[in-house]
């Protein structure tokens, strides 16, 4: 089992911060509407690039330039339902639960784009509390799980939230994609879901958290993790059939 935590602040339409202290190498991602920044505090390395004007667009851009990918980005986009519906094959309502997120939730399941997802959504506040995903073509049938907690909707966001003074002083290196550029071009016209599925498959086969420095360019190659409005997200990857820790 591999578990990470991400503390996320999101302000639409053009502000995003994802702080991932661990497990695994710590990383930070900042987007202020004009610039995206990936910072590795332990290594004191930073990559900076111009960015498009919306969160949806910067998620695409980050993937293209550096394979930075937030596993459940469906929750961060402007229209989560509209995005999921593009490849939706089936969906059904399971029932209610009182054991997830400390509140009553509605359980739903849906499939599309090569993935089967179970979601626990707050019955009253309609906020995601847990998501599980299994990918159809994964031979190991690993189960990816995300917990959403500490939701804070509409709070005042302090000035400077979407930038880092420490990152500004770090050693600058360029963004670079960790995989073959041919793979990037192959998925460039397939839409965001195709790119997400491609990246998810890579994550199943490789350590998605480990930053690497290119031996010839000193480029930061960083596969991101993530998620969701101001709050905490915990992501776990488990083999199906194993008992979960309570």
């Amino acid at each position: 089992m591999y578990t990470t935590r991400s503390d996320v602040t999101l302000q639409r339409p053009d502000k995003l911060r994802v702080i991932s202290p661990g497990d695994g190498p710590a990383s930070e991602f900042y987007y202020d509407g004009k610039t995206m920044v990936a910072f590795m505090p332990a290594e004191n390395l930073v990559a900076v690039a111009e960015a498009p004007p919306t969160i949806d667009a910067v998620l695409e851009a980050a993937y293209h330039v550096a394979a930075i990918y937030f596993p459940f980005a469906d929750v961060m986009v402007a229209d989560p339902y509209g995005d999921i519906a593009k490849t939706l094959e089936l969906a059904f309502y399971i029932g209610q639960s009182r054991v997830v997120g400390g509140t009553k939730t509605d359980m739903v399941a849906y499939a599309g784009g090569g993935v089967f997802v179970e979601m626990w959504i707050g019955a009253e506040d309609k906020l995601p509390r847990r998501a599980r995903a299994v990918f159809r073509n994964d031979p190991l049938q690993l189960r990816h799980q995300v917990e959403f907690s500490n939701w804070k909707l509409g709070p005042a966001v302090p000035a400077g939230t979407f930038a880092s003074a420490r990152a500004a002083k770090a050693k600058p290196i360029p963004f670079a994609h960790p995989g073959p550029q041919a793979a990037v071009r192959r998925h460039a016209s397939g839409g965001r879901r195709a790119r997400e599925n491609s990246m998810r498959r890579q994550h199943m086969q490789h350590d998605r958290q480990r930053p690497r420095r290119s031996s010839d360019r000193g480029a930061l190659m960083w596969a991101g993790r993530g998620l969701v409005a101001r709050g905490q997200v915990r992501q776990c990857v488990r083999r199906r059939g194993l008992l979960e820790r309570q």
Side-chain angles (χ1 to χ4, degrees):
M1 182 177 71
Y2 195 88
T3 303
T4 68
R5 191 190 85 207
S6 294
D7 301 317
V8 180
T9 304
L10 183 153
Q11 188 176 71
R12 300 197 187 281
D14 60 357
K15 302 288 189 298
L16 176 65
R17 183 182 74 173
V18 181
I19 307 295
S20 300
D23 295 338
S27 67
E28 301 177 8
F29 181 85
Y30 300 89
Y31 166 61
D32 64 2
K34 298 180 180 179
T35 302
M36 63 178 177
V37 177
F39 175 50
M40 307 301 291
E43 295 83 1
N44 198 36
L45 298 175
V46 65
V48 181
E50 293 184 0
T54 67
I55 292 170
D56 287 26
V58 83
L59 294 173
E60 296 247 11
Y63 175 80
H64 281 303
V65 301
I68 293 177
Y69 168 68
F70 301 105
F72 282 82
D74 287 342
V75 185
M76 292 195 293
V77 297
D79 183 9
Y81 172 76
D83 195 69
I84 293 171
K86 293 175 183 177
T87 58
L88 191 65
E89 298 171 7
L90 62 90
F92 55 91
Y93 178 73
I94 300 172
Q96 290 192 322
S97 170
R98 296 181 179 272
V99 299
V100 172
T103 187
K104 183 169 66 174
T105 57
D106 290 311
M107 298 180 291
V108 297
Y110 60 90
V115 59
F116 175 79
V117 180
E118 298 174 85
M119 289 283 291
W120 284 254
I121 302 170
E124 300 298 330
D125 58 24
K126 310 305 180 185
L127 295 173
R129 302 294 177 166
R130 175 184 289 172
R132 287 177 180 163
V134 177
F135 297 92
R136 182 180 301 159
N137 295 327
D138 176 17
L140 298 178
Q141 290 293 281
L142 297 177
R143 181 171 61 197
H144 302 251
Q145 178 165 308
V146 174
E147 302 280 348
F148 304 93
S149 64
N150 197 29
W151 283 95
K152 297 177 183 178
L153 302 181
V157 179
T161 295
F162 303 101
S164 167
R166 186 179 172 192
K169 299 177 182 178
K171 180 180 178 180
I173 56 177
F175 280 109
H177 199 285
Q181 289 303 305
V184 180
R185 290 193 296 272
R186 185 168 62 249
H187 293 283
S189 62
R192 189 169 64 81
R193 181 57 60 88
R195 288 188 291 276
E196 288 180 0
N197 288 338
S198 171
M199 198 63 196
R200 284 163 175 160
R201 286 192 293 270
Q202 293 179 41
H203 285 181
M204 294 172 193
Q205 300 168 8
H206 303 286
D207 177 5
R208 65 183 154 219
Q209 304 295 334
R210 188 179 304 278
R212 299 176 177 87
R213 291 198 58 189
S214 167
S215 59
D216 58 340
R217 290 176 295 170
L220 181 65
M221 298 191 288
W222 183 76
R225 53 274 212 200
L227 244 21
V228 152
R230 184 161 188 148
Q232 293 183 347
V233 179
R234 297 178 185 272
Q235 180 193 353
C236 306
V237 180
R238 298 184 176 90
R239 189 181 299 275
R240 284 183 88 182
L242 295 182
L243 292 177
E244 295 183 22
R245 184 175 57 188
Q246 299 297 317

